[in-house]
Amino acid sequence: MSEESVPQQGGGAGQPKGLLQQMEELMAALNADLSALDADLQSAGRASAESDASLGAEMP
């Protein structure tokens, strides 16, 4: 997880955030990171399957 996605302590108006709000922000950041990882893995899997299929077609 990158440092940019980790919420900083304290609110924008100088008011401290509650534990529930911090947890919700962390869960949202984690969900976004996992979604991006899922998309990367799926595209890598498709690229691998396509290269395997093209290699199989070249072999007699």
Side-chain angles (χ1 to χ4, degrees):
M1 189 160 107
S2 64
E3 291 182 18
E4 298 90 40
S5 62
V6 176
Q8 298 298 315
Q9 293 290 336
Q15 189 175 11
K17 294 181 183 179
L19 181 59
L20 180 59
Q21 184 177 358
Q22 290 178 9
M23 292 299 296
E24 287 174 346
E25 291 176 1
L26 288 171
M27 291 299 293
L30 177 61
N31 191 27
D33 289 345
L34 289 174
S35 294
L37 177 61
D38 182 45
D40 289 346
L41 290 173
Q42 287 184 10
S43 65
R46 281 191 296 271
S48 177
E50 289 172 3
S51 69
D52 288 348
S54 66
L55 288 175
E58 293 174 4
M59 297 178 67

